[in-house]
Amino acid sequence: MSLSRREFLQMLAAASAAGMAIGSTRETAVAAPRPYLYELPPYGNLSLLHFTDCHAQLLPIYFREPNVNLGVGAAKGRAPHLVGEALLKHFRIPPNSADAHAFTYLNFADAAREYGMVGGFAHLATLVKSLRASRPGRTLLMDGGDTWQGSATALWTNGQDMVDAQKLLGVDVMTGHWEFTYGDKRVQEIVEKDLKGKIDFVAQNVFDTSFGDERVFKPYVMRTINSIKVAIVGQAFPYTPIANNRLDFPKWSFGIREQEMQATVDQARKAGAQVVVLLSHNGMDVDLKMASQVTGIDVILGGHTHDAVPAPSVISNRSGKTLVINSGSNTKFLSVLDLDVKHGRVRDFRYKLLPVFSKSINPDPEMARFIEKVRAPFKARLEEKLAVTESLLYRRGNFNGTFDQLIMDAMREIQGSDIAFSPGFRWGTSLLPGDTITMEHLMDQTAITYGTSTLNEMTGIQIKDVLEDIADNLFNPDPYFQQGGDMVRVGGMTYTMDVAESMGKRIQDMRIGNKPLNPNKKYKVAGWASVHRQYPAGQKQIWDVVSEYLRHKKTVRIKEAYIPKLKGAEGNPGLA
């Protein structure tokens, strides 16, 4: 009996959903990943497409997933705090498959050469158009934020390149985080002029405190899709004024605002919403707690922590269940959530987090032309060759990455410091051994509006206080007290961390060389991305410091990133 093409594709899609690895062993796999990944049969009557945390990456890139993503307390051992083989086992992903490469760090350099780069807006555009064509009149494309920041061209155009790319992609609704670092006036200008009538910017938790509390943006928007009333509630990153430069938006107040969230969801339901979607930039642990406490939300499409989770978490609360989804970062993934909505409620769903393997998807011509045009004025500057790396360079993990280590090595040498701190950012592309480090690659790690390098004196006790404060942001057992970043990267010193301890007791045995850090001695500490912006005149930007270092070195080799000695993490599946 012969199968039609449609029947064959449906059979393959069913096998994919069941976790089967068709032709995926390392011995038999072809260079391109399985094409059937992109042939998803439609289901139900409403489809939600979601990407988040693209960090202004218009072109395909490499992006390595973490080998350290520790969960503490109730989060230990559950998604998203699973890495490597523990993640593959939990989600039943075959080893040495395309999915194994997409979702883990395992054998990254070799697998990246085999499967190629990921993401890119032109390739994402093709995928979005294909899914919309297979689901006519029933899709919503949602952007979870951190879109306007993360590249040289975004910084140099004040976010305009990404705003135009979003419109061309056909984004329907978005929320924000790093968008706010362009300043309140710039954000409002974009929302009121560029996005008006095209993209709804929603954030129920951002208030202007100039004259009491007044919402800056719409808390939610109601869209009727395929005769279904869908409310999309926005949640911007709650800790933006703490994690980023407060001076960019001095009169705006953020916060988790759980009570306001419940009131907004209730309001949307009273207005006739049959489906309520939370477009969130909370971070996944916060989303999981919120799903258990706020009722009436059908789906949380989450971002901020860059977690690529292959299946939704189904969370029970007083009124039912909420699906919690996180869609990775850097345009590496696109979530496809098909819902079956009947009699005013969600009856069933199908979900797939699609890796965007660039060489398996033809770039959309219109988007490709736009990208070429917007990059043209900066081409020579972007392509400047700084050095060659002999090592895998990446940034992603709770404690350090090799590109972070490179930045700190540069700061210590150029600025003459004893110690270097680099912020625990989760964005930044990866480079394979043998790759040339260009100015564009460096800007992928450093392109922010407050990238000034600093050199300060700090006592040993002040250094400990800084590390303790950041450690509590990461490892507080209550997700509502976590701020979703990673630990500050440290160069020139070592320490021990007890992740199971409480605030003030986690950081132990700090040393420079073999000597304990003197609590009262002052040390020269280099850093960047200070949220206070009180810089001496003439201070260099961090990309100027690191590019000077790279031009001098010409070749760099960092075998592994420094990770502190850990206590309380034994057997944790978030630690490879």
Side-chain angles (χ1 to χ4, degrees):
M1 181 182 72
S2 62
L3 292 174
S4 69
R5 179 178 182 273
R6 181 178 180 183
E7 289 170 331
F8 180 64
L9 290 171
Q10 287 176 336
M11 180 188 73
L12 290 177
S16 172
M20 295 173 62
I22 300 173
S24 64
T25 62
R26 185 64 63 195
E27 291 78 12
T28 61
V30 295
R34 300 161 289 173
Y36 72 82
L37 280 172
Y38 305 116
E39 297 280 359
L40 287 183
Y43 172 81
N45 51 2
L46 174 65
S47 298
L48 307 178
L49 310 181
H50 176 247
F51 71 97
T52 187
D53 297 274
C54 77
H55 285 285
Q57 295 304 315
L58 289 174
L59 297 180
I61 48 91
Y62 295 114
F63 188 80
R64 176 190 183 271
E65 299 300 325
N67 63 313
V68 185
N69 188 1
L70 292 171
V72 296
K76 180 181 177 181
R78 72 174 188 175
H81 302 288
L82 302 166
V83 300
E85 293 176 359
L87 184 148
L88 298 184
K89 182 178 180 181
H90 181 83
F91 291 106
R92 299 180 182 179
I93 296 174
N96 300 321
S97 63
D99 283 346
H101 169 55
F103 289 104
T104 74
Y105 71 93
L106 296 169
N107 194 32
F108 181 79
D110 289 342
R113 290 192 178 95
E114 179 177 346
Y115 293 110
M117 291 185 171
V118 294
F121 258 63
H123 303 80
L124 183 63
T126 295
L127 189 53
V128 168
K129 286 181 178 180
S130 174
L131 289 163
R132 279 179 161 158
S134 68
R135 294 155 170 80
R138 47 178 277 193
T139 63
L140 275 171
L141 176 60
M142 284 174 277
D143 179 343
D146 278 3
T147 299
W148 306 347
Q149 175 276 335
S151 72
T153 56
L155 181 65
W156 296 338
T157 64
N158 217 14
Q160 192 64 49
D161 65 332
M162 297 310 302
V163 172
D164 294 340
Q166 283 178 297
K167 292 192 293 183
L168 193 57
L169 186 64
V171 170
D172 292 301
V173 189
M174 72 173 294
T175 192
H177 169 205
W178 274 93
E179 284 75 10
F180 302 121
T181 63
Y182 288 106
D184 47 13
K185 292 181 177 57
R186 174 61 175 153
V187 172
Q188 288 179 309
E189 176 188 35
I190 291 173
V191 170
E192 293 168 6
K193 294 181 180 179
D194 291 274
L195 304 188
K196 190 173 182 179
K198 299 178 179 67
I199 301 174
D200 286 300
F201 193 109
V202 290
Q204 73 85 25
N205 61 328
V206 183
F207 287 76
D208 190 329
T209 61
S210 300
F211 305 100
D213 275 351
E214 181 179 344
R215 279 198 171 100
V216 179
F217 308 103
K218 290 181 288 189
Y220 76 96
V221 62
M222 190 82 79
R223 294 286 188 103
T224 301
I225 306 296
N226 199 19
S227 301
I228 300 167
K229 295 185 75 172
V230 184
I232 303 99
V233 181
Q235 177 85 341
F237 179 52
Y239 295 106
T240 301
I242 300 172
N244 301 102
N245 194 326
R246 186 77 177 93
L247 297 178
D248 288 325
F249 34 85
K251 296 180 181 179
W252 288 2
S253 171
F254 291 71
I256 292 174
R257 297 183 181 267
E258 185 183 280
Q259 291 182 344
E260 288 89 342
M261 176 65 74
Q262 184 66 72
T264 301
V265 173
D266 293 344
Q267 180 185 354
R269 288 290 184 186
K270 288 179 182 178
Q274 298 166 269
V275 178
V276 175
V277 178
L278 173 56
L279 184 58
S280 167
H281 207 88
N282 277 331
M284 189 165 177
D285 285 342
V286 178
D287 285 336
L288 291 169
K289 180 174 179 178
M290 181 168 280
S292 72
Q293 300 194 176
V294 176
T295 63
I297 300 172
D298 294 297
V299 180
I300 298 179
L301 299 175
H304 180 62
T305 40
H306 293 197
D307 298 307
V309 183
S313 298
V314 183
I315 306 300
S316 298
N317 52 54
R318 292 189 306 277
S319 69
K321 298 182 185 298
T322 299
L323 301 179
V324 178
I325 288 165
N326 261 235
S327 304
S329 66
N330 289 82
T331 66
K332 184 178 178 181
F333 298 96
L334 179 69
S335 274
V336 184
L337 177 64
D338 290 321
L339 300 175
D340 181 24
V341 183
K342 292 181 181 177
H343 308 300
R345 67 186 184 93
V346 176
R347 302 292 296 271
D348 201 359
F349 72 95
R350 298 289 184 272
Y351 177 73
K352 186 72 177 179
L353 182 55
L354 292 175
V356 183
F357 289 109
S358 305
K359 69 180 182 181
S360 293
I361 303 171
N362 291 325
D364 176 69
E366 185 181 15
M367 185 67 80
R369 287 193 295 271
F370 164 77
I371 293 170
E372 183 177 7
K373 180 180 178 181
V374 80
R375 289 169 54 82
F378 313 106
K379 191 172 187 294
R381 192 175 175 188
L382 292 169
E383 293 179 354
E384 182 192 356
K385 297 177 180 179
L386 301 175
V388 173
T389 178
E390 296 181 350
S391 312
L392 174 65
L393 296 181
Y394 63 90
R395 169 197 284 161
R396 183 68 171 90
N398 286 159
F399 296 103
N400 210 346
T402 48
F403 217 124
D404 296 303
Q405 196 75 50
L406 169 60
I407 292 170
M408 291 184 294
D409 289 348
M411 286 193 290
R412 290 179 63 211
E413 180 167 318
I414 299 298
Q415 296 176 266
S417 66
D418 303 307
I419 297 168
F421 284 167
S422 192
F425 295 147
R426 293 193 172 193
W427 44 271
T429 61
S430 305
L431 289 175
L432 304 184
D435 282 353
T436 297
I437 307 171
T438 65
M439 179 59 76
E440 181 165 23
H441 294 138
L442 174 56
M443 295 300 290
D444 284 349
Q445 312 291 326
T446 57
I448 63 175
T449 57
Y450 51 102
T452 304
S453 62
T454 58
L455 184 64
N456 297 300
E457 286 191 336
M458 299 176 67
T459 64
I461 193 63
Q462 287 175 321
I463 292 170
K464 184 179 189 299
D465 287 345
V466 167
L467 295 179
E468 289 281 7
D469 184 58
I470 298 172
D472 197 60
N473 292 340
L474 184 59
F475 295 116
N476 192 301
D478 186 342
Y480 279 9
F481 290 94
Q482 297 172 7
Q483 294 176 18
D486 282 316
M487 194 67 189
V488 64
R489 284 64 167 109
V490 175
M493 65 168 282
T494 62
Y495 66 97
T496 297
M497 174 183 281
D498 191 334
V499 297
E501 269 289 3
S502 57
M503 174 69 172
K505 299 179 182 178
R506 293 187 180 95
I507 306 301
Q508 305 165 8
D509 193 27
M510 299 185 300
R511 292 176 176 269
I512 291 184
N514 293 320
K515 295 182 179 180
L517 216 64
N518 186 328
N520 300 311
K521 181 180 176 180
K522 290 185 176 181
Y523 298 90
K524 290 183 179 180
V525 180
W528 65 286
S530 169
V531 297
H532 302 295
R533 254 194 209 173
Q534 296 175 353
Y535 308 134
Q539 286 289 95
K540 293 181 178 180
Q541 297 295 303
I542 185 62
W543 47 85
D544 294 326
V545 172
V546 181
S547 61
E548 179 182 344
Y549 173 83
L550 290 173
R551 290 186 192 104
H552 173 71
K553 287 289 183 182
K554 295 185 174 54
T555 302
V556 296
R557 181 177 179 82
I558 300 174
K559 294 191 66 175
E560 57 184 305
Y562 169 71
I563 295 177
K565 182 179 178 181
L566 298 176
K567 295 181 180 179
E570 298 81 5
N572 194 308
L575 177 64

